[in-house]
Amino acid sequence: MKKAFGFVGAFFVAALIITSCGGVKADEYGWYHDYAAAKETAKKEHKNMLLFISSLDSDGKSAKLKKEIFDTDDFKNSVAKDYVCINLDFSQNEYAKSQVGPDATEKEKKDAKEIEDRFDKNMRIVTGYNIQETPALFLTTKEGYLISTVVYNETIAKPSDFSTLVAGKADDIKKVTGMVSAIDAASAVEKAKAIDVLYEATEPENRYLLADLIGQFTQLDKNNTTGLAGKYTLASANVTAQNAFMDKKYDVAVTAFVTAAGSDVLSSDEKQQAYYTAAYTMANTGSTDYDKIGQYFQAAYDASPGSAYASQIAQMIDMVKAMKASAATADQSKPQAGTQQTEPEVPQTDNKAAVPEKQ
């Protein structure tokens, strides 16, 4: 069910421990360390952005890349002149400072809270970039929409090598910025159609970055002229659910999909997807409400029993029933509340030494 329900996986990817240095102004080499400030500058200067996700103290590559390429005058006078550059550092040692004991001073607790808040903020920022490892490098539009991943390896040894690498992304830059310009130039239904072009050109794991556009779609096409209202109702539920996951409000994530499934604009297959995701989310976040999980899986099956995924959903229904039965058996084997527990009787033996006496 990877194709139909693939976006669910984004919820369960282990998050990196990240944080970043503060500062709303670019440093001496042109790097911002505050994402919001960088975006503001990018919009004012009509520039695309280069996002550098690092772990300077642990991944063995970020520090070398920063020292030999990014923190140089050559980089400052080349790439940094054409792009707004942002570095969010995921260093473990920095994040560790957010963990203080109960005996910490008020200042230490305040400083720790500020680091923790930056961690949370930056984790939300990078969610849509689908980080697999650091260093990670991305070219984005001024809005933060992904243009291209920039793959760094050891052959990139000096600033000119990196400039060449970025220059090779010209076609990707033209394609994506062209689609964004088409959105900006259009209105009403035509704007909605232009949003869909960019949405389809974006990999599923990166579509969270388009959250603002997804939210606009149904307002732009209130009469469902495009026939895509169901698609974007479901996409909007996905955004709501991902935000809820970051807040650890798993019930809100489930409700987002159940609510979407109840919309008349969804097709039978889209309803199946919504109910399936609600059930899958519950099952993978520790819920033991097997009746509700089974109900949502059943609703998914009933929504489109002839779909290519129906047989797999039927298997999930059987699995949930088995889990419920197993849990019930386990509950029955537990001692009942209020019953007196006694030690097991020691077997009788002729060998007195075999059974030590209680002291």
Side-chain angles (χ1 to χ4, degrees):
M1 307 183 79
K2 184 176 180 181
K3 182 177 180 180
F5 307 117
F7 58 77
V8 178
F11 295 150
F12 307 108
V13 175
L16 291 170
I17 302 299
I18 63 174
T19 186
S20 73
C21 301
V24 296
K25 294 183 178 180
D27 64 22
E28 61 179 310
Y29 295 109
W31 286 94
Y32 285 84
H33 301 277
D34 181 277
Y35 187 80
K39 280 183 69 175
E40 183 178 352
T41 299
K43 290 179 179 180
K44 285 181 179 179
E45 298 182 2
H46 301 286
K47 290 182 178 180
N48 295 320
M49 299 189 291
L50 171 64
L51 175 60
F52 170 36
I53 311 295
S54 61
S55 185
L56 296 172
D57 67 354
S58 57
D59 66 27
K61 295 180 180 179
S62 292
K64 183 175 185 291
L65 175 60
K66 179 176 171 64
K67 179 181 179 181
E68 296 182 359
I69 296 179
F70 292 156
D71 286 357
T72 65
D73 289 334
D74 285 345
F75 181 87
K76 178 181 179 180
N77 294 323
S78 56
V79 176
K81 291 179 65 176
D82 298 324
Y83 293 85
V84 173
C85 301
I86 319 147
N87 176 206
L88 300 181
D89 183 48
F90 292 25
S91 287
Q92 301 290 317
N93 289 338
E94 180 69 12
Y95 179 71
K97 296 176 184 177
S98 71
Q99 309 301 302
V100 295
D103 296 332
T105 65
E106 289 304 312
K107 182 180 186 306
E108 289 171 337
K109 290 178 181 179
K110 180 181 178 182
D111 291 344
K113 184 63 167 59
E114 289 178 355
I115 293 173
E116 184 178 14
D117 288 346
R118 287 204 304 270
F119 155 73
D120 180 70
K121 179 182 70 173
N122 289 331
M123 183 165 62
R124 292 167 188 269
I125 290 167
V126 304
T127 290
Y129 292 101
N130 192 32
I131 307 297
Q132 299 298 315
E133 62 180 358
T134 57
L137 296 153
F138 305 96
L139 293 180
T140 83
T141 67
K142 61 183 182 294
E143 298 85 3
Y145 309 146
L146 181 62
I147 293 174
S148 179
T149 300
V150 180
V151 179
Y152 166 77
N153 58 52
E154 299 299 332
T155 65
I156 311 301
K158 51 187 183 294
S160 59
D161 294 334
F162 193 83
S163 296
T164 300
L165 183 62
V166 171
K169 300 293 183 179
D171 289 344
D172 292 335
I173 294 169
K174 181 178 180 180
K175 176 183 176 182
V176 175
T177 56
M179 287 186 283
V180 174
S181 294
I183 294 171
D184 293 340
S187 59
V189 174
E190 292 307 311
K191 188 181 184 80
K193 291 178 180 178
I195 289 173
D196 189 57
V197 172
L198 178 61
Y199 182 90
E200 286 299 319
T202 303
E203 293 295 330
E205 61 267 25
N206 301 124
R207 287 173 179 166
Y208 178 74
L209 297 171
L210 306 178
D212 60 328
L213 297 179
I214 290 169
Q216 292 179 42
F217 188 95
T218 52
Q219 294 301 310
L220 293 167
D221 187 19
K222 293 181 179 180
N223 297 322
N224 197 16
T225 302
T226 63
L228 299 174
K231 172 181 176 179
Y232 281 90
T233 297
L234 194 53
S236 182
N238 188 40
V239 170
T240 299
Q242 290 206 41
N243 288 333
F245 259 78
M246 286 185 281
D247 291 331
K248 297 183 179 180
K249 296 180 179 179
Y250 306 129
D251 57 331
V252 175
V254 172
T255 300
F257 288 110
V258 174
T259 301
S263 173
D264 292 336
V265 298
L266 266 67
S267 67
S268 58
D269 285 346
E270 288 167 342
K271 287 179 182 290
Q272 182 174 86
Q273 185 172 346
Y275 278 125
Y276 174 91
T277 309
Y280 189 89
T281 300
M282 287 188 70
N284 280 273
T285 53
S287 174
T288 56
D289 189 346
Y290 299 115
D291 288 334
K292 184 66 70 174
I293 295 170
Q295 176 187 330
Y296 290 150
F297 275 131
Q298 187 65 56
Y301 180 88
D302 293 342
S304 187
S307 77
Y309 309 108
S311 63
Q312 297 176 58
I313 295 174
Q315 292 176 18
M316 298 298 290
I317 293 171
D318 291 340
M319 185 182 300
V320 172
K321 288 179 180 177
M323 292 170 66
K324 179 182 177 181
S326 178
T329 300
D331 285 342
Q332 289 175 1
S333 66
K334 291 179 180 178
Q336 297 298 310
T339 60
Q340 184 176 358
Q341 300 300 303
T342 59
E343 292 184 345
E345 185 177 347
V346 177
Q348 296 299 312
T349 175
D350 290 335
N351 185 353
K352 300 295 184 180
V355 183
E357 292 182 2
K358 292 182 180 179
Q359 301 298 314

